[in-house]
């Protein structure tokens, strides 16, 4: 997998790619063209950070509007078995938070699409909201998704994100009451993350 990604041809212009737009700007461009945004998800560090860096460049060259970049978690409570397994592999390979941020800082200046970090709230709480948001900014990422942070508790962290020029993408569901969904939509940065659940009955 690493060899395939490393060998993948990239556009000649990639080395001279402009600084990534904000998430909102990237989504607006897609809407203006009447297209659907391609927003792939990858788990940082699976199978290693070198492969992750190559994957980011490849996805950018293939036209990703935004890349959702998962910070590997020991307790990915909102994820299914595939992402859980990828997080376990990444952690086993030594993908630490600082190493992931450092890799992003090297890669993002050459990308033409913005990167949004998907992180559970645990690492944010341990590091402190202000320090975490500052680290995300230094990594070159443009936004954050925190799936286990309830909307009613987002205010303080959203303020830290805004201070660092980051867009905090909020989550909602089809069953969310209309007024609350409107409130979440207005507060969300970049786009709104719609969660849909499928219940399998044996």
């Amino acid at each position: 997998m690493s060899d395939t990604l490393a060998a993948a041809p990239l556009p000649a212009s990639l080395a001279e790619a402009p600084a990534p737009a904000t998430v909102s700007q990237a989504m607006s461009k897609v809407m203006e063209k009447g297209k659907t945004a391609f927003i792939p998800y990858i788990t940082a560090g699976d199978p290693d950070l070198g492969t992750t860096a190559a994957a980011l460049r490849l996805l950018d060259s293939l036209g990703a509007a935004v890349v959702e970049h998962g910070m590997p978690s020991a307790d990915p409570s909102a994820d299914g078995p595939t992402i859980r397994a990828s997080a376990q592999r990444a952690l086993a390979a030594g993908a630490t938070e600082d190493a992931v941020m450092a890799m992003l800082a090297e890669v993002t200046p050459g990308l033409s699409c913005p990167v949004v970090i998907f992180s559970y709230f645990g690492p944010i709480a341990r590091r402190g909201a202000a320090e975490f948001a500052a680290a995300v900014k230094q990594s070159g990422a443009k936004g954050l998704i925190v799936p286990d942070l309830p909307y009613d508790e987002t205010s303080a962290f959203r303020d830290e994100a805004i201070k660092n020029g980051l867009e905090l993408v909020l989550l909602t569901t089809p069953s969310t009451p209309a007024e609350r969904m409107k409130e979440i939509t207005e507060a969300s940065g970049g786009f709104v993350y719609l969660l849909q659940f499928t219940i399998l009955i044996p």
Side-chain angles (χ1 to χ4, degrees), residues 41-42 67-73 76 78-79 83 115-120 132 143-148 171 193 195:
Y41 173 97
I42 56 174
V67 175
E68 192 178 324
H69 194 257
M71 191 70 72
S73 170
D79 291 309
I83 294 179
V115 172
V116 172
I117 291 180
F118 181 110
S119 174
Y120 288 92
F132 188 91
L144 278 160
I145 300 170
V146 186
D148 58 345
L171 296 80
Y193 204 115
L195 295 173

Side-chain angles (χ1 to χ4, degrees), residues 150-163:
Y151 171 64
D152 291 334
E153 300 175 23
T154 60
S155 180
F157 184 60
R158 184 167 173 265
D159 289 345
E160 291 298 336
I162 291 172
K163 287 179 187 176

Side-chain angles (χ1 to χ4, degrees), residues 9 23 34 49 101 114 116 143 147-148 163 170 173:
V23 181
L49 289 174
M101 297 286 196
V116 172
D148 58 345
K163 287 179 187 176
L170 301 180
T173 72

Side-chain angles (χ1 to χ4, degrees), residues 105-131:
E106 291 184 6
V107 174
T108 52
L111 302 180
S112 59
C113 71
V115 172
V116 172
I117 291 180
F118 181 110
S119 174
Y120 288 92
F121 192 67
I124 298 171
R126 287 191 293 272
R127 192 162 188 161
E131 185 177 336

Side-chain angles (χ1 to χ4, degrees), residues 43-101:
T43 299
D46 178 29
D48 53 62
L49 289 174
T51 300
T52 302
L56 285 167
R57 296 185 179 103
L58 180 60
L59 289 168
D60 183 49
S61 74
L62 293 174
V66 178
V67 175
E68 192 178 324
H69 194 257
M71 191 70 72
S73 170
D75 183 27
S77 56
D79 291 309
T82 299
I83 294 179
R84 283 175 177 270
S86 69
Q88 291 173 357
R89 290 191 297 268
L91 292 171
T96 65
E97 184 181 312
D98 287 341
V100 171
M101 297 286 196

